[in-house]
């Protein structure tokens, strides 16, 4: 006999208007950042509200028949924050703490990010409140296919294009693409990016976010007369973004002295052997217990005496309690929203340069864009072409943001937000308001 239960982490969310998000939450951080940009740009309340409010949202129930026969229910969301510059673009997250406000924040950041790196996209995001580690591959496939079919009216290669985020990967995107294509009756690779190469993925997509992080770090260091080979780096999060960032930093001569994941962290002040660490993680599923390293907690890692700190896990880790202890001179945000508004103020007070998420981790969406262009043309580029185009976009975007920051005496975050928000607002104004 089958039973139906509701999984605890995903109890029904509130659909209260997103005007007053919980203090310290991702949405509160996103709203505070937009408010600062709107003030610098002198926007009136009407325009500010329009930019703060998602265009479309969908909340879906995702029932799953477990391998045991039991039925459980999850909540899923897709939010299109803004589509003025093009179709919505943004990842799909599987994490137990996903709720509609988090997805709204992540969708808003995607809008500014795509605009900062000049992509013809709006911002979107999706999520299912599930801990993927607790489910088999077959169960995750069923969750993905059901979620995709529930949000089908909202997505498409010209309307809203998904990519992997926390807890999802290239295989997840293949399932989304297949479900969408089967329902349409023909193969539509451009409905997702971050797919496996065998079904129209792009060379370089798997490491693009991390490569972009290293490009902007290099540009920021160069402004201080330093190079990647001069610096030590600590990275929080050793998933798709953090692990490849560690690899690329190490390959370019940086000393990666500490890394962590959700189970804990490790450090070695002489530098970790990253290729061996990657093998260890493949084997054991965690960085913890790697030989030739000492244990360090996630909180301790944030306060290590390093040159560059890369938070590449979850939101809100640099807040009023932790940001004041950061000793790094540069924080390069691999994760989305790792710094709260209170954390940002503390980092600024201590002269820590923050390369913000909407710039620092944009490499992933840049190569997602390249993948979408290739899928639309059915013509594939070489890995070198992609690497060169990515580097050019990242360095150009960094230079624009940094020039504005210096000219107007802004932080890099405010400068990036001003550039992104202004491009979106201009598109609104030029297009006009329908009807
Ligand atoms: P992932 O699921 O591949 O890896 C997440 C990592 O964070 C894992 O190592 C996990 O153990 C760790 N983690 C989870 N909870 C943690 C905690 N409480 N403390 C410390 N570590 C914790 O995810 P990802 O794709 O690498 O994404 C990481 C971040 O980067 C997210 O904020 C995501 O939105 C952002 N991002 C990802 C991409 C991309 O292309 N994947 C692009 C831009 C931004």
């Amino acid at each position: 006999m089958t039973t139906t239960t509701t999984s605890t982490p995903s109890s029904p969310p509130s659909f209260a208007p997103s005007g007053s998000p919980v203090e310290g939450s991702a949405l509160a951080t996103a709203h505070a950042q937009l408010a600062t940009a709107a003030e610098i740009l002198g926007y009136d309340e009407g325009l500010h509200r329009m930019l703060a409010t998602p265009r479309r949202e969908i909340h879906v129930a995702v029932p799953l028949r477990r391998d045991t026969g039991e039925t459980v229910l999850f909540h899923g969301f897709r939010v299109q924050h803004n589509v003025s510059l093009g179709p919505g673009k943004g990842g799909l997250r599987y994490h137990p703490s996903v709720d509609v406000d988090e997805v709204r924040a992540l969708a808003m950041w995607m809008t500014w990010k795509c605009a900062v790196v000049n992509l013809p996209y709006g911002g979107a995001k999706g999520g299912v409140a599930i801990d993927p580690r607790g489910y088999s591959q077959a169960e995750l496939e069923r969750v993905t296919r059901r979620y995709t079919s529930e949000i089908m009216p909202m997505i498409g290669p010209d309307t809203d294009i998904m990519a992997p985020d926390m807890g999802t990967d290239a295989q997840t995107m293949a399932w989304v693409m297949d479900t969408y294509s089967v329902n349409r009756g023909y193969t539509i690779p451009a409905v997702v990016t971050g797919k496996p190469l065998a079904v129209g993925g792009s060379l370089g997509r798997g490491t693009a976010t991390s490569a972009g992080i290293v490009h902007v770090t290099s540009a920021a260091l160069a402004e201080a007369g330093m190079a990647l080979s001069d610096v030590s780096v600590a990275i929080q999060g050793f998933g798709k973004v953090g692990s490849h960032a560690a690899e690329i930093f190490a390959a370019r001569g940086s000393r990666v002295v500490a890394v962590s994941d959700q189970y804990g962290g490790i450090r070695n002040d002489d530098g970790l052997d990253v290729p061996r660490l990657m093998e260890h993680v493949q084997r054991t599923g965690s960085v913890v217990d790697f030989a030739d390293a000492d244990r360090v907690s996630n909180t301790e890692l944030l306060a290590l005496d390093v040159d560059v700190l890369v938070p590449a896990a979850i939101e809100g880790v640099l807040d009023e309690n932790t940001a004041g202890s950061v000793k790094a001179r540069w924080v390069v945000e691999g994760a989305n929203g790792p710094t709260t508004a209170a954390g940002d103020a503390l980092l600024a007070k201590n002269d820590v340069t923050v390369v913000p998420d909407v710039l620092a981790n944009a490499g992933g969406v840049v190569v997602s864009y390249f993948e979408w262009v290739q899928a639309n043309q059915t013509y594939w580029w070489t890995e070198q072409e992609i690497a060169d185009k990515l580097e050019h976009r990242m360095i150009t975007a960094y230079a624009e943001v940094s020039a504005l920051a210096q000219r107007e005496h802004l932080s890099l975050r405010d400068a990036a937000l001003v550039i992104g928000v202004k491009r979106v607002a201009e598109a609104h104004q030029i297009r006009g308001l329908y009807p």
Side-chain angles (χ1 to χ4, degrees), residues 5 17 24 37 54 64 66 110 127 139 156 158 179 195 251 294 313 316 321 377 382 387 397 411 421 435:
T5 53
L64 164 71
R66 297 213 60 177
M110 283 307 296
E139 289 171 331
D158 300 318
T179 306
K195 309 176 278 296
D294 299 319
N321 301 314
Q377 296 179 333
T382 66
S411 66
V421 170

Side-chain angles (χ1 to χ4, degrees), residues 156-158 176-191:
D158 300 318
V176 173
M177 190 273 259
D178 184 68
T179 306
Y180 186 83
S181 298
V182 165
N183 277 278
R184 296 284 148 152
Y186 61 105
T187 299
I188 307 171
V191 67

Side-chain angles (χ1 to χ4, degrees), residues 93 95 106 113 125 164-167 205 209 236-242 260-262 298 312-314 334-336 361 364:
R93 175 173 292 197
H95 192 275
L106 291 163
K113 187 183 303 181
K125 203 80 179 192
D165 188 73
M166 211 149 67
R205 174 60 184 91
T209 307
Q236 184 185 61
F238 206 73
K240 295 184 291 299
V241 176
S260 68
D261 58 29
Q262 66 199 91
N298 264 292
I314 51 165
N336 286 307
N361 70 33

Side-chain angles (χ1 to χ4, degrees), residues 204-263:
R205 174 60 184 91
T207 52
T209 307
S210 317
I213 288 168
V214 179
H215 289 318
V216 295
T217 307
S218 173
L221 293 173
E223 290 181 336
M226 290 170 76
L228 287 167
S229 54
D230 298 327
V231 296
S232 56
V233 184
I235 302 174
Q236 184 185 61
F238 206 73
K240 295 184 291 299
V241 176
S243 67
H244 294 305
E247 243 177 353
I248 300 169
F249 272 118
R252 294 195 56 182
S254 306
R255 207 156 32 94
V256 178
V257 297
V259 297
S260 68
D261 58 29
Q262 66 199 91
Y263 306 108

